[in-house]
Amino acid sequence: MAISSAPHTARASTGPRRTRAALPAVVLIGTLSGTLALSGCADPGASAASGGQPATTAARNGVVYNTSPDQQRIRAEKDAALAAKVPALIGKDGKLTVATTAGAIPLSFHATDDKTPIGVEVDLAQLVADKLGLDLDVQVTSWENWPLKTQSGDFEAVFSNVGINAARVKLFDFSSYRAAYMGFEAKKSSGYNIKGSDDISGLKISVGSGTNQEKILIAWNKELEAKGKAPAVLQYYSSDADTILALSSGRTDLNLAPYPSVTYRENTRDDLKVVGKVNAGWPSETLVAATTLKGNGLAPAITDALNSAIKDGSYAKVLDRWGLSEEALPESTTVTEANFGTAPSGKAQTGKTQTGKTQ
């Protein structure tokens, strides 16, 4: 999926702000964003317009997705002990300023009014803000802008399917909250079964620039070239809609995107299916995490708030609401540069294999 090329910021509530390597076999289609210096991310993708769509969508997985502005979110009570852990400079205005990219259903996207950011990322941010006794202030930003704006203090936390990686821990601290997987999707009539690099040889694959999924495909192409096999042709589209249109029309063979988004489409469309699953940190593992400025003291408070939500069941209710129970973690962990690579992995609770089937 592509990433918006123009900076874009919208606030969901009022209040003051706080103060790549060369690609083998690449086809550029549409407008590309600038390359993010911290590659290897888990970007949800491009803008997912929802205007004119029904307020609810009943999916084949049994989930009824509410895409209206009236979310009736699952809420939590303030925990005074947790609120006391919020750094004074962050909590003094009574707000938790959270960035999200509003990129793809069911992660974060715009409601049917085309302006209200909703999705599992926003719901989890709401639980954390509630636990910490802060008002949630959601700001929609383009993917390439969140790192700099978090460093500048415009954003206090990022909830936008951000994966933990070695480059980011040099600048940010993390509070894990979901398993991180990428999914290959294809036309329902296809016979693809993607398990590794050999299975993508010579295929046309759409992917987002500067993302974890792009990093994986580049590595797989290198494996193919080392074996003397044809690499996959990477295609970049300017919007999520263009990407899916190309896939459904046969102009591209596969799309590699965050697993929650490809499974959503599999369960709400008749023409697409999931044909493979890979950890976003391939060849190792990674997790999706709330992202905060390194060393500012907010990450431990967010981690504790997430663990409180896990314990009282509100976390599970949020994931179930968006059909993402498979990605639930048994606990949240604070990951910093000091413990990166040694912190608990926090694997998903449900024991799913890479193909998504129960063991």
Side-chain angles (χ1 to χ4, degrees):
M1 296 182 181
I3 304 168
S4 173
S5 59
H8 171 87
T9 302
R11 296 178 68 89
S13 61
T14 59
R17 289 190 187 174
R18 298 182 185 279
T19 323
R20 345 186 256 177
L23 308 182
V26 174
V27 176
L28 306 180
I29 303 172
T31 303
L32 287 180
S33 67
T35 302
L36 179 65
L38 300 176
S39 62
C41 40
D43 176 37
S47 177
S50 54
Q53 297 299 314
T56 59
T57 300
R60 283 183 290 274
N61 60 355
V63 178
V64 178
Y65 294 93
N66 174 10
T67 56
S68 74
D70 181 14
Q71 283 294 288
Q72 300 179 21
R73 292 193 177 98
I74 296 160
R75 303 295 296 268
E77 296 295 326
K78 175 182 177 179
D79 184 313
L82 295 179
K85 297 181 179 182
V86 177
L89 288 177
I90 293 173
K92 66 179 181 181
D93 68 350
K95 297 178 181 292
L96 181 66
T97 306
V98 169
T100 195
T101 53
I105 302 172
L107 297 172
S108 70
F109 59 104
H110 284 111
T112 50
D113 62 357
D114 283 330
K115 62 181 180 180
T116 304
I118 62 174
V120 68
E121 306 284 19
V122 180
D123 281 10
L124 289 175
Q126 182 70 72
L127 284 183
V128 168
D130 287 347
K131 293 280 187 180
L132 298 180
L134 300 172
D135 293 331
L136 180 63
D137 180 13
V138 179
Q139 297 189 30
V140 176
T141 189
S142 58
W143 176 260
E144 63 270 25
N145 280 341
W146 72 255
L148 288 178
K149 288 197 171 185
T150 303
Q151 289 179 274
S152 70
D154 284 344
F155 306 144
E156 293 163 343
V158 182
F159 282 72
S160 197
N161 207 51
V162 179
I164 306 168
N165 65 38
R168 287 204 182 89
V169 294
K170 297 181 183 298
L171 298 172
F172 305 104
D173 294 335
F174 297 89
S175 301
S176 60
Y177 60 80
R178 269 191 16 252
Y181 293 104
M182 296 298 165
F184 288 92
E185 61 183 331
K187 292 178 68 172
K188 201 166 188 177
S189 58
S190 75
Y192 300 123
N193 182 18
I194 310 301
K195 295 182 178 179
S197 59
D198 289 343
D199 301 316
I200 67 167
S201 178
L203 299 181
K204 295 175 290 184
I205 307 177
S206 56
V207 67
S209 175
T211 60
N212 243 7
Q213 50 266 42
E214 180 192 48
K215 182 181 178 182
I216 292 168
L217 292 178
I218 291 171
W220 284 13
N221 270 348
K222 289 179 179 178
E223 287 185 358
L224 289 170
E225 290 171 334
K227 298 175 183 177
K229 296 184 177 181
V233 178
L234 308 189
Q235 297 185 331
Y236 299 81
Y237 292 88
S238 59
S239 73
D240 188 58
D242 288 345
T243 299
I244 302 308
L245 179 60
L247 182 64
S248 62
S249 66
R251 286 184 284 121
T252 188
D253 300 308
L254 298 168
N255 179 42
L256 181 58
Y259 193 67
S261 295
V262 300
T263 55
Y264 170 81
R265 284 190 285 271
E266 180 182 55
N267 283 295
T268 57
R269 296 176 62 115
D270 295 324
D271 57 341
L272 302 178
K273 66 179 180 179
V274 178
V275 296
K277 184 179 182 182
V278 61
N279 192 282
W282 183 94
S284 56
E285 296 184 352
T286 191
L287 297 170
V288 171
T291 308
T292 55
L293 185 62
K294 180 179 179 180
N296 73 353
L298 181 57
I302 291 178
T303 298
D304 287 346
L306 286 166
N307 280 324
S308 177
I310 290 171
K311 184 177 180 179
D312 69 20
S314 55
Y315 165 85
K317 290 178 181 178
V318 165
L319 293 190
D320 185 61
R321 179 177 187 237
W322 295 102
L324 299 180
S325 296
E326 179 181 335
E327 300 200 345
L329 301 183
E331 66 175 346
S332 175
T333 302
T334 299
V335 179
T336 66
E337 185 177 20
N339 70 354
F340 177 70
T342 62
S345 63
K347 293 182 179 179
Q349 295 175 330
T350 52
K352 299 284 183 174
T353 65
Q354 288 270 310
T355 59
K357 297 179 180 179
T358 304
Q359 293 178 333

